[in-house]
Amino acid sequence: MVHEQVVHGAVAGSRREAGEGHARLTALLVGLVWAEVLWAAAQHARGDVSPGIMALGGLGAQLMFCAFEALVAAMVWRAQDRPVTWSALFTRVLAASACEAFAVAIVTGHIPMARPLALLLCGMRASTGTWITSGFGRAFAAMGLLTLVRIMLSAHAQARLARVPLVRGLWVVGSLHLAARLVMWWGSDLLQGRSFQP
């Protein structure tokens, strides 16, 4: 009986290690995809900064955003008595961000696509107009099908890590995503001299 428990524990441990290895490899590959997408976008951007510096800065910003998202998610899960490590969350969040990299490639013209399909996948940021002038527009311009897929992938991965149902993972990830959009909306309006007060 004890021998069976030891063997079962060893098998479960090796599966967890293999799963973490796959997650790290996937995150590394997504990081390389981000680097290529940002490099291609920087090649077409006009400015005094070299494309390499722009791409490197963009990649650094994306990695910091994913790291911060993983940190906040880890705190939320810990508050629910579901301790999940930051490193495990970071690899999953970065892997899910592949959807965002795809959206950036579409918006920047790296992946040619019909405008209606681009709008469906990427949200209003794929629009050629300059309608995004309000804080609300800036905060929610990226709400397209790819953003919803990213939320779903991250929720699935986080729910598995926390060993909770997918609905609970969706609640956590969706709430954090909405909170980030609301903060972006509020911050953008403040920078433009607007506020919620009359």
Side-chain angles (χ1 to χ4, degrees):
M1 183 70 174
V2 174
H3 177 69
E4 288 178 4
Q5 290 177 345
V6 169
V7 170
H8 180 70
V11 169
S14 65
R15 284 180 183 165
R16 275 195 299 272
E17 289 175 10
E20 282 305 307
H22 289 136
R24 290 182 187 131
L25 179 60
T26 303
L28 176 63
L29 293 174
V30 170
L32 293 174
V33 168
W34 267 112
E36 199 278 331
V37 167
L38 293 169
W39 172 260
Q43 293 279 25
H44 300 292
R46 296 176 183 171
D48 298 331
V49 183
S50 72
I53 298 293
M54 286 179 67
L56 191 59
L59 180 60
Q62 181 60 36
L63 291 175
M64 284 194 306
F65 177 78
C66 288
F68 182 72
E69 186 178 341
L71 178 64
V72 173
M75 290 189 294
V76 170
W77 286 117
R78 196 170 294 117
Q80 298 180 53
D81 200 27
R82 293 287 177 176
V84 181
T85 64
W86 172 86
S87 59
L89 283 168
F90 174 71
T91 55
R92 272 70 173 186
V93 168
L94 182 56
S97 77
C99 297
E100 178 67 14
F102 185 39
V104 169
I106 293 170
V107 169
T108 58
H110 189 54
I111 298 176
M113 188 171 290
R115 186 64 52 198
L117 184 56
L119 287 169
L120 177 67
L121 291 175
C122 306
M124 290 306 296
R125 65 181 161 170
S127 173
T128 54
T130 56
W131 69 274
I132 306 174
T133 57
S134 68
F136 178 83
R138 287 190 181 92
F140 291 94
M143 282 306 297
L145 191 57
L146 286 170
T147 297
L148 297 177
V149 172
R150 177 184 181 176
I151 291 171
M152 180 64 79
L153 289 173
S154 184
H156 179 263
Q158 292 191 38
R160 287 191 66 182
L161 283 173
R163 297 181 183 176
V164 297
L166 176 60
V167 173
R168 193 163 162 190
L170 277 171
W171 182 85
V172 168
V173 175
S175 298
L176 291 176
H177 183 81
L178 179 60
R181 300 297 122 199
L182 293 175
V183 168
M184 190 184 299
W185 177 11
W186 178 64
S188 180
D189 278 350
L190 282 181
L191 289 173
Q192 294 179 24
R194 301 173 183 157
S195 72
F196 293 124
Q197 298 178 357

